[in-house]
Amino acid sequence: MKLLLKQLLNIILKNMQNSFNLRNTLKQEVSNPTEQKERFVQTIEDQPMVDLRFLHQSNKCIKYAMDEIRGDSRTEKNIFIDCFQKFIFDFSNQISISKALKTYSSHNNGSSLNYKDYRYLIEVLPESVQLIAKDELIHLHLKPNGKGQYIIIGFCLNDILFILAIDPKHKLI
């Protein structure tokens, strides 16, 4: 179990680095350092990002996800890890946060959630974050167009999706 958790964290870190490497290739196309900086900032300025800093605070974290699929075959675990990794990379490379949310939402009118049903996820957050998360709580599927059983619960602030919980068996919603 510990090895699988470490593998998942390594994949996430590598994926974030791959995203950064892609953006760095844009810098190499321009020779002037000032132009490089301006072009790089323009490239990433409005792109959505995924943030995992609050994921560990709920009991529905990566460990929960791994426990949920523990009894499943190794293939199932690998599929989940691959989907999660691909989601982070693809979501972060969308043109805007609204496009990214629409791509991974299962409903045309959004995937907002009722705070009362998920209070346990919000109450463990720092107080300064609770009010934001309470009003912006959403769920997204790890596959585009709301496909697949793997979902995440989180909230958006500006161009950042903060993931609060992972639900690999679609049990929480």
Side-chain angles (χ1 to χ4, degrees):
M1 181 64 186
K2 288 181 183 178
L3 180 62
L4 197 56
L5 193 54
K6 285 181 182 179
Q7 286 175 325
L8 183 59
L9 291 173
N10 285 336
I11 288 169
I12 291 168
L13 290 173
K14 186 196 292 186
N15 193 29
M16 291 175 141
Q17 184 60 42
N18 287 344
S19 177
F20 216 78
N21 288 343
L22 175 68
R23 293 172 182 152
N24 281 340
T25 57
L26 296 172
K27 285 172 56 176
Q28 295 169 359
E29 294 175 5
V30 182
S31 58
N32 180 339
T34 306
E35 260 185 78
Q36 284 179 349
K37 183 177 178 183
E38 288 172 10
R39 189 168 184 184
F40 180 71
V41 169
Q42 286 175 351
T43 304
I44 65 168
E45 193 171 66
D46 295 324
Q47 280 187 304
M49 294 189 300
V50 176
D51 192 307
L52 305 173
R53 80 179 76 183
F54 300 120
L55 181 58
H56 75 283
Q57 292 186 318
S58 80
N59 61 347
K60 305 301 181 208
C61 60
I62 293 174
K63 183 181 182 315
Y64 166 80
M66 293 296 112
D67 286 346
E68 279 293 300
I69 57 177
R70 180 188 306 163
D72 296 338
S73 69
R74 181 130 183 100
T75 305
E76 181 75 17
K77 291 175 187 172
N78 290 341
I79 290 171
F80 168 73
I81 291 169
D82 290 346
C83 282
F84 191 61
Q85 176 182 345
K86 185 168 177 22
F87 169 82
I88 291 172
F89 183 79
D90 291 348
F91 188 92
S92 300
N93 284 301
Q94 294 286 325
I95 296 170
S96 67
I97 190 74
S98 59
K99 172 84 168 100
L101 293 174
K102 188 173 183 175
T103 299
Y104 290 94
S105 175
S106 58
H107 307 288
N108 289 337
N109 60 350
S111 295
S112 58
L113 298 173
N114 185 348
Y115 157 73
K116 292 176 184 175
D117 296 335
Y118 301 95
R119 185 175 294 153
Y120 64 96
L121 293 174
I122 306 293
E123 291 175 345
V124 296
L125 298 172
E127 282 186 44
S128 59
V129 179
Q130 286 182 15
L131 291 175
I132 299 165
K134 179 179 169 181
D135 294 336
E136 302 293 329
L137 199 60
I138 58 170
H139 82 280
L140 299 172
H141 290 256
L142 293 185
K143 291 189 175 183
N145 302 317
K147 302 283 186 208
Q149 67 180 355
Y150 308 130
I151 64 165
I152 58 166
I153 298 172
F155 67 95
C156 288
L157 179 61
N158 298 330
D159 293 332
I160 303 172
L161 170 67
F162 292 90
I163 297 178
L164 301 178
I166 300 174
D167 184 8
K169 296 291 186 173
H170 210 311
K171 290 182 177 178
L172 300 178
I173 295 182

